[in-house]
């Protein structure tokens, strides 16, 4: 076990290494696929099909900004969108998209995918969960994806809406459809296959299937190249979702952190604790499993006062991870979103596990 205090705070960027600082806060409690959901939630596994043609408080800690993020670099725009396009979305609705001139993604990671596909200039607004890239974060906001209103979206005259199943409330989604806006629900599966499936579905809905296939294939290759099996002495990694003292969850098997921990060579504490969708922090249970590494979104880390405050959560300061200061923190959208930067995130986590638990 690594004996030195060690905090890795990282944010992968398109152009290269990010700064060793904690990212800005996102709204709401944990979700398996978004940095801004209201509670740990189970992600869906279906895919959409297309009928178209082709950021710390401890001055003694160490920063690690991670590898270049080639997989999230904007795709070539040489192939123009092929429109109109008709897709069958995740919930079985057949949706025809005639224009991608005014795109509104109702989810932060979906917005990131649109930008990675080279269509960021067409995005006119995003929800509060869109924190990356900076261009998406700077756009006008329509509210929070679980509590949207049709009026807040309609004012931007969108030509296409892209969402996951957590978008709501249901009445608003129904209103948007009645108003005639093409609304495509894309898959949000919190597995190793999820990022590429999401990319392909978004690309298909926007008439840029070729761009999507290229980006998805590169993402799949990066994930495959960095997956490893946990050995008998693998570190136990506990993933947390925190919002101050009021919201403190251990993320479960339904979160993207589950497959990422396992693929990076760790043992997810959720397996040892029998947690599926997520569960409130329980100090006795956490002390019993003795986690070696703590994985926490950066906004959550900030919300409890940084590394020092984190040690007061659920007795973490008394665990092997707490005593060694073995904490890894990433931007919420990156860590929870299962989006186009996930391949490079996996590589970063694998390296961090090896450094923190040699």
């Amino acid at each position: 076990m690594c004996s030195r205090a060690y905090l890795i705070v990282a944010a992968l960027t398109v152009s290269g290494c990010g700064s060793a600082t904690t990212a800005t806060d996102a709204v709401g409690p944990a979700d398996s696929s978004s940095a801004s959901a209201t509670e740990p939630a189970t992600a869906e596994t279906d895919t959409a099909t297309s009928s178209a043609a082709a950021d710390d408080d401890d001055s003694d800690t160490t920063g690690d900004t991670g590898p270049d993020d080639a997989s999230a670099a904007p795709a070539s725009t040489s192939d123009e969108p092929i429109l109109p396009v008709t897709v069958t979305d995740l919930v079985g609705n057949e949706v025809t998209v005639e224009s991608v001139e005014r795109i509104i993604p109702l989810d932060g990671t979906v917005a990131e995918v649109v930008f990675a596909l080279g269509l960021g200039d067409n995005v006119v607004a995003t929800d509060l969960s869109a924190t990356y890239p900076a261009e998406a974060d700077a756009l006008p906001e329509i509210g929070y994806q679980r509590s949207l209103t049709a009026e807040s979206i309609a004012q931007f005259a969108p030509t296409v809406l892209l969402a996951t199943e957590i978008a709501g409330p249901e009445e608003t989604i129904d209103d948007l459809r009645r108003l005639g806006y093409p609304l495509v629900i894309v898959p949000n599966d919190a597995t190793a296959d999820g990022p590429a499936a999401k990319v392909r579905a978004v690309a298909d809905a926007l008439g840029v299937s070729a761009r999507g296939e290229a980006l998805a294939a590169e993402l799949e290759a990066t994930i495959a190249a960095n997956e490893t099996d946990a050995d008998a002495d693998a570190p136990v990694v506990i993933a947390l979702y925190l919002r101050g003292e009021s919201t403190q969850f251990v993320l479960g098997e339904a979160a993207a952190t589950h497959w990422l921990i396992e693929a990076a060579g760790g043992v997810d504490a959720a397996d040892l604790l029998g947690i599926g969708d997520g569960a409130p922090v329980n100090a006795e249970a956490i002390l019993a499993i003795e986690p070696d590494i703590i994985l926490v979104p950066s906004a959550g880390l900030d919300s409890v006062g940084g590394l020092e405050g984190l040690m007061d959560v659920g007795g973490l300061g008394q665990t092997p991870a707490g005593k060694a200061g073995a904490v890894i923190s990433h931007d919420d959208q990156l860590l929870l979103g299962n989006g186009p930067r996930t391949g490079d995130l996996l590589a970063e986590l694998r390296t961090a596990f090896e450094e923190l638990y040699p």
Side-chain angles (χ1 to χ4, degrees):
M1 181 66 176
C2 183
S3 60
R4 56 184 175 141
Y6 201 124
L7 171 64
I8 293 178
V9 183
L12 302 179
T13 65
V14 167
S15 60
C17 294
S19 61
T21 56
T22 316
T24 55
D25 201 357
V27 176
D31 185 88
S32 62
S33 60
S34 171
S36 65
T38 57
E39 60 188 4
T42 303
E44 298 297 329
T45 58
D46 296 291
T47 59
T49 58
S50 172
S51 62
D55 52 46
D56 178 65
D57 298 306
D58 192 324
S59 60
D60 294 330
T61 58
T62 302
D64 183 346
T65 55
D68 288 350
D69 185 21
S71 66
S76 169
T77 57
S78 59
D79 54 321
E80 292 302 312
I82 299 174
L83 300 167
V85 62
T86 299
V87 297
T88 301
D89 73 2
L90 179 69
V91 296
N93 290 324
E94 190 172 275
V95 184
T96 297
V97 177
E98 297 184 350
S99 171
V100 296
E101 291 182 2
R102 300 184 63 81
I103 305 168
I104 298 185
L106 309 186
D107 172 272
T109 304
V110 172
E112 184 177 338
V113 172
V114 176
F115 275 80
L117 290 170
L119 291 172
D121 288 344
N122 296 35
V123 178
V124 295
T126 62
D127 94 300
L128 290 170
S129 69
T131 60
Y132 184 92
E135 293 85 352
D137 193 19
L139 287 167
E141 294 171 339
I142 56 172
Y144 168 52
Q145 61 183 319
R146 286 186 183 267
S147 55
L148 299 168
T149 66
E151 294 79 8
S152 67
I153 295 170
Q155 66 176 313
F156 294 103
T159 58
V160 58
L161 304 173
L162 301 166
T164 67
E165 279 203 302
I166 69 172
E170 185 177 349
E171 293 79 8
T172 295
I173 301 303
D174 290 341
D175 286 344
L176 290 167
R177 290 190 176 114
R178 280 194 294 268
L179 288 169
Y181 296 113
L183 194 160
V184 181
I185 306 297
V186 301
N188 205 18
D189 189 11
T191 68
D193 296 327
K198 187 181 300 181
V199 166
R200 289 187 174 101
V202 171
D204 288 349
L206 299 178
V208 288
S209 295
R211 296 189 205 177
E213 184 57 38
L215 182 58
E218 184 176 2
L219 182 49
E220 288 172 328
T222 304
I223 290 173
N226 287 285
E227 285 183 303
T228 188
D229 294 325
D231 58 30
D233 191 37
V236 174
V237 183
I238 187 167
L240 302 174
Y241 184 89
L242 308 171
R243 283 298 182 268
E245 296 181 359
S246 62
T247 302
Q248 299 183 346
F249 281 92
V250 177
L251 292 172
E253 297 173 2
T257 49
H258 178 65
W259 81 263
L260 282 164
I261 289 169
E262 292 188 338
V267 174
D268 189 0
D271 288 336
L272 304 180
L273 296 170
I275 296 174
D277 290 344
V281 166
N282 181 302
E284 183 178 356
I286 290 174
L287 289 171
I289 63 168
E290 299 185 317
D292 302 297
I293 297 172
I294 302 164
L295 184 61
V296 58
S298 55
L301 182 63
D302 282 347
S303 77
V304 296
L307 186 61
E308 184 176 354
L310 180 65
M311 295 301 104
D312 294 328
V313 175
L316 287 171
Q318 302 173 50
T319 66
K323 292 175 181 178
V327 177
I328 302 171
S329 181
H330 284 276
D331 171 73
D332 294 44
Q333 184 172 311
L334 172 61
L335 188 58
L336 304 176
N338 226 28
R341 292 176 289 162
T342 303
D344 293 304
L345 171 62
L346 175 59
E348 171 72 21
L349 291 176
R350 179 175 175 178
T351 299
F353 289 3
E354 292 171 351
E355 292 178 351
L356 294 172
Y357 197 83

